[in-house]
Amino acid sequence: MEENERNDNSSDKGMQKVEVVENENDNHKDEKSQKKESNKTYLNLGCCKINVGLVFTYIYIFTGALLNVINRIIFYNYNFRFNFTFAFLQQIMNLFLFTCVGNHSETFIKHAGKISFSNFYQFRYHYFLFTVIFAINILINFYGNQLVKNVSMFLSLRKFNAVMLFIVDFFIGKKKIDFITILCIFLITGGSFIINSDTFSKDYLGYVVVLINNLATISSSKYSEVFRKKTGDSNLKLLIYNAYIINPLLFACIFITGEHKRLYQYFSEENSTKIEGTFLGLFFYLFLSCFFSVILNSSFFISNEKTSSLMTNLLTNTKSIFISAALYLFDRQKNKLTFKMVFGLGMATVGAVFITSHSFWNNLKCNKKEDKMEQVKIKESEEKK
C-alpha cells in the first residue's frame, strides 16, 4: 500500500512537472508569436492593409530625397561647411523632439517605452558602441558629400550599399534571400553604375570616403538588429540615447578642431556679403535639415525593425532611379540619351519596378495569412463557447 501511495505521489509530481514545462513552452510560444505580430503590424486603410515597415520605408525615402536637396543648399549656396556644428544641431533637435515631446505621447511610449536615465544605464555599453558607429557614419557622409561634387555619382556609390548588405546577409549571416531580391540588387546597382560611368572623375578620395560611409551605414543597421534581439527594446532607443552621449563629444570637437573660430569668421560682417542669400534663409534651411534628419533616422530604425535593412536599402534606391527616369524622359534638352544611358536606366528601372511590386506582393500574402489566422481564432472561440 505504501509503495502504491509513493508511486501515485511520484506520478502526480511527474504530471505536475510536465504541466509546468508545457505551460512554460506555451508561454514561450506566446511570447514568440507576440514578437512576430509586433514585427508585422498593419495599417488598415479600408481598401487594403499595408505593412507599417513599408510605410516608414517610403517616409524614409521621401525625407532622404528632401534632406539631400536641403543639405546641398546649405553646403553650396550658403557655404556652411561646419560638420561638427551641423551634427550637434541635428542631435539637439533629436533630444528635444523625443525627450520633451515623445515622453508626453501615449503612442510613442507604447512603441518605444519611457525614456529614462535608468533604462539608459542598463544598456549603456550597447549605446556607447552604437554612438561610435553613428558618429563615424554622419561625419563621413558630410565629408563624402563635399568631396564628390557630382550628385549622380555620389548616389551611385551609395547604391553599392545594397550589394554590401547582400554579401553580409547571405554569406556571413546565412540568411535566405529569394531569387527576385538578388536579381533586383544587381539590376539596380549595375544599371546605376552604367548610367553614371561617363561622370566618373578623379575624385578617388571622395569615392573611398563614400565606400567607408557605406560600411558605417551597414554596421549601424546591423547593430540595430543585434540590439533588438539581445535587449528586446525598440531600435528607436538607440537613436534617442545616442544623443545623450554624442552631444557632449560633438560640442567638445567644435572647440578642439577650432571650428568655433571659423564659425565666428563666417558670421562676421565681412563674410556676410560673400554668401548667396541671407542668414535668415540659412537658419530656415538649418531648422528644416535638423527636423527632417530626426524623421529620416527614426523612420529608418522603425523600417529596419519591421522589415529588414536589405529591403529598406533596396526600396530606398528605387527613389533616385524613378527620379532619374523622369528627368531623362521629360527634360531631353539637358539630358541627351545615349545607348549606354538607355540600357543602364532600363536595367535599373526594371529592378526598381520588380522590387517594389515584390514588396507589395509579399504584403498581400501576409494580409491573406493574417485573415486566415483571424478566421481560425474566431472559429476556435466559437467552438469553446
Side-chain angles (χ1 to χ4, degrees):
M1 286 290 288
E2 285 178 3
E3 285 180 3
N4 288 333
E5 282 177 4
R6 283 175 187 173
N7 289 331
D8 289 337
N9 289 330
S10 61
S11 63
D12 288 338
K13 285 177 181 177
M15 288 292 288
Q16 285 173 0
K17 283 180 182 178
V18 169
E19 284 176 3
V20 169
V21 170
E22 284 178 354
N23 288 331
E24 283 177 357
N25 288 333
D26 290 336
N27 290 333
H28 191 60
K29 284 177 183 177
D30 288 338
E31 283 174 10
K32 280 188 173 179
S33 63
Q34 281 173 4
K35 282 181 181 178
K36 283 181 181 177
E37 283 175 9
S38 66
N39 283 337
K40 293 183 178 179
T41 312
Y42 293 89
L43 283 175
N44 197 340
L45 303 175
C47 58
C48 65
K49 291 177 182 178
I50 187 163
N51 189 308
V52 170
L54 279 179
V55 174
F56 278 99
T57 302
Y58 284 105
I59 291 170
Y60 175 70
I61 290 166
F62 175 74
T63 50
L66 194 61
L67 198 62
N68 192 42
V69 173
I70 293 166
N71 285 351
R72 285 191 168 267
I73 290 168
I74 293 166
F75 290 144
Y76 294 107
N77 288 15
Y78 291 96
N79 201 29
F80 188 87
R81 303 191 182 195
F82 305 98
N83 296 336
F84 291 114
T85 307
F86 203 4
F88 178 71
L89 290 171
Q90 287 184 348
Q91 291 304 309
I92 289 291
M93 179 68 80
N94 181 24
L95 265 180
F96 172 75
L97 288 177
F98 284 121
T99 55
C100 298
V101 180
N103 261 349
H104 297 286
S105 168
E106 289 181 9
T107 309
F108 175 80
I109 292 167
K110 188 179 178 181
H111 177 77
K114 198 84 174 171
I115 307 303
S116 63
F117 184 78
S118 58
N119 184 251
F120 164 75
Y121 190 76
Q122 187 182 359
F123 303 115
R124 60 193 180 280
Y125 298 115
H126 286 288
Y127 298 129
F128 273 110
L129 183 56
F130 178 77
T131 297
V132 173
I133 300 165
F134 188 83
I136 292 167
N137 190 23
I138 285 181
L139 293 172
I140 288 177
N141 183 270
F142 287 158
Y143 190 47
N145 229 319
Q146 292 165 33
L147 287 174
V148 182
K149 292 180 181 179
N150 190 289
V151 183
S152 55
M153 180 51 75
F154 177 79
L155 293 172
S156 293
L157 291 166
R158 289 293 283 160
K159 284 186 187 73
F160 194 67
N161 224 349
V163 177
M164 293 165 84
L165 270 169
F166 165 71
I167 291 165
V168 170
D169 281 350
F170 192 75
F171 293 103
I172 300 169
K174 304 292 181 184
K175 287 185 180 180
K176 289 182 180 179
I177 301 170
D178 56 79
F179 175 74
I180 293 172
T181 305
I182 296 168
L183 179 66
C184 292
I185 289 166
F186 290 100
L187 283 172
I188 289 169
T189 311
S192 299
F193 272 102
I194 291 167
I195 294 165
N196 297 298
S197 58
D198 293 333
T199 62
F200 188 84
S201 61
K202 292 181 180 180
D203 298 328
Y204 301 122
L205 178 62
Y207 301 152
V208 171
V209 168
V210 174
L211 288 174
I212 294 167
N213 187 198
N214 287 349
L215 284 171
T217 305
I218 290 166
S219 302
S220 176
S221 59
K222 286 296 159 193
Y223 195 77
S224 67
E225 290 176 9
V226 172
F227 175 81
R228 175 78 173 170
K229 286 175 184 176
K230 285 191 175 181
T231 64
D233 264 355
S234 171
N235 290 345
L236 267 179
K237 284 193 175 178
L238 279 173
L239 177 66
I240 299 159
Y241 290 131
N242 162 65
Y244 278 45
I245 309 162
I246 205 170
N247 269 347
L249 295 173
L250 288 170
F251 190 73
C253 286
I254 291 168
F255 288 93
I256 292 165
T257 58
E259 196 168 279
H260 67 292
K261 291 177 182 177
R262 291 191 290 114
L263 269 169
Y264 177 77
Q265 290 175 355
Y266 178 84
F267 286 107
S268 65
E269 290 181 7
E270 292 177 7
N271 194 44
S272 61
T273 55
K274 298 176 186 177
I275 299 165
E276 186 183 329
T278 62
F279 286 129
L280 188 65
L282 171 64
F283 295 142
F284 173 71
Y285 282 114
L286 282 172
F287 172 80
L288 287 179
S289 179
C290 293
F291 179 75
F292 284 116
S293 71
V294 177
I295 296 171
L296 179 80
N297 289 323
S298 54
S299 59
F300 172 76
F301 278 95
I302 295 168
S303 176
N304 273 4
E305 193 175 302
K306 301 292 182 184
T307 55
S308 69
S309 50
L310 181 61
M311 186 57 71
T312 303
N313 189 274
L314 274 174
L315 289 171
T316 304
N317 286 338
T318 61
K319 167 253 305 178
S320 53
I321 289 161
F322 289 136
I323 290 168
S324 299
L327 285 170
Y328 284 117
L329 286 171
F330 298 109
D331 197 0
R332 291 181 185 178
Q333 291 180 349
K334 288 183 179 179
N335 304 295
K336 292 180 181 180
L337 291 173
T338 60
F339 174 76
K340 191 192 286 185
M341 210 165 278
V342 171
F343 180 75
L345 193 61
M347 190 174 162
T349 306
V350 167
V353 170
F354 270 22
I355 197 64
T356 306
S357 56
H358 184 56
S359 64
F360 279 104
W361 177 251
N362 283 340
N363 183 64
L364 288 171
K365 275 185 177 179
C366 290
N367 285 343
K368 286 177 182 178
K369 282 182 182 179
E370 198 180 59
D371 290 338
K372 283 181 181 178
M373 288 292 287
E374 283 178 5
Q375 287 173 6
V376 168
K377 283 178 182 178
I378 291 163
K379 282 181 181 179
E380 284 177 355
S381 62
E382 285 177 355
E383 285 174 2
K384 284 178 181 178
K385 287 177 182 178

